[in-house]
Amino acid sequence: MESTPRIARSILSCPRGGNVVIDGIPYSLEELEMQGFADDGGRPTFLCPPERRMAYAGRRGSHVVLVLQGALGNGEAVRLTGTLRWLRTDACTCCETEWEEIVMDVSNVILVHPTGEAVPIPLDAFTDRDLDLNDGVIHRNQDHLNNQHGEELREAVATRCYIPADSILAAQITGLSAEGFEFQWVDERGAHSARTTFDRPARTPEDLVAGVRKALAAEIC
């Protein structure tokens, strides 16, 4: 059975939805109009346009309560308490769109089960670097590959299997793990699958992406 810190980190890495209370005022994540959200070693990180609530809250160091529901598991949620902090302003190199990067310095973590049971999690256990690569990270990366890189996957399968790329109707990755993955594809002859393993097991999210890139010989982000 998975440990409560690992379940909580998986929720933070791959949330299905949630809400946030900033200085006592509740918002849904959609209301905050964020451009992105990430788990940075157990520290929630928000990307948001300038002149938005989250940017203002980060600059003034607001108190925040963040509650997230996970995309995996058995309906657990994680409740994080802490303060917001402005980190930097950045811009897209291609379109010059600006955003603010706001981080949450977490002071308290609670895993909430569907029954209502609330389990406190020590902060040092929640931020353990061994949890950086968790089920939520793996699920998010697999979904990203399949939803955003279909063309690259078809080309990679064609190269590996010595078949024309235009004969592949669809391709996807399944069973992604720290050790490797299975890729499946459909062509004119039907459905096929193959398994590949990484040269060495991934230990970090960066290792995971690098392993997939090398195995597929594809430039993916």
Side-chain angles (χ1 to χ4, degrees), residues 167-212:
S167 70
I168 300 174
L169 305 178
Q172 67 173 1
I173 284 179
T174 61
L176 180 61
S177 71
E179 288 74 36
F181 59 89
E182 184 176 85
F183 53 98
Q184 301 176 338
W185 71 96
V186 177
D187 60 23
E188 297 154 345
R189 297 174 297 161
H192 314 272
S193 65
R195 178 78 188 173
T196 188
T197 57
F198 301 143
D199 293 341
R200 59 180 181 179
R203 295 180 58 86
T204 67
E206 294 76 20
D207 287 347
L208 185 72
V209 173
V212 172

Side-chain angles (χ1 to χ4, degrees), residues 57-75:
R59 287 194 286 268
R60 66 174 177 259
S62 293
H63 179 268
V64 64
V65 178
L66 176 66
V67 179
L68 299 171
Q69 289 80 42
L72 305 173
N74 299 307

Side-chain angles (χ1 to χ4, degrees), residues 18-189:
N19 58 77
V20 59
V21 179
I22 302 174
D23 290 335
I25 302 174
Y27 303 95
S28 68
L29 294 182
E30 290 75 16
E31 285 181 281
L32 295 174
E33 303 177 84
M34 292 185 297
Q35 293 168 306
F37 175 79
D39 166 16
D40 179 15
R43 185 178 65 175
T45 302
F46 309 89
L47 299 180
C48 58
E51 316 306 326
R52 292 289 190 268
R53 290 187 183 92
M54 184 63 76
Y56 283 126
R59 287 194 286 268
R60 66 174 177 259
S62 293
H63 179 268
V64 64
V65 178
L66 176 66
V67 179
L68 299 171
Q69 289 80 42
L72 305 173
N74 299 307
E76 298 94 345
V78 66
R79 182 180 186 272
L80 308 173
T81 304
T83 55
L84 296 175
R85 175 165 53 89
W86 179 88
L87 189 63
R88 62 181 179 137
T89 300
D90 208 340
C92 178
T93 56
C94 59
C95 64
E96 298 184 354
T97 300
E98 282 195 349
W99 65 80
E100 307 284 315
E101 187 169 349
I102 308 297
V103 299
M104 177 181 177
D105 293 321
V106 178
S107 58
N108 184 264
V109 183
I110 295 176
L111 182 69
V112 182
H113 292 282
T115 60
E117 178 188 9
V119 181
I121 298 175
L123 195 57
D124 59 348
F126 183 70
T127 57
D128 187 337
R129 302 304 298 192
D130 287 343
L131 300 184
D132 287 357
L133 183 61
N134 55 63
D135 288 346
V137 170
I138 290 172
H139 179 76
R140 190 187 71 231
N141 275 276
Q142 180 172 303
D143 275 2
H144 174 78
L145 288 164
N146 290 330
N147 294 329
Q148 304 296 325
H149 294 284
E151 184 62 32
E152 289 93 335
L153 291 178
R154 286 192 293 272
E155 292 176 357
V157 169
T159 299
R160 288 179 61 94
C161 300
Y162 304 101
I163 55 180
D166 57 9
S167 70
I168 300 174
L169 305 178
Q172 67 173 1
I173 284 179
T174 61
L176 180 61
S177 71
E179 288 74 36
F181 59 89
E182 184 176 85
F183 53 98
Q184 301 176 338
W185 71 96
V186 177
D187 60 23
E188 297 154 345
R189 297 174 297 161

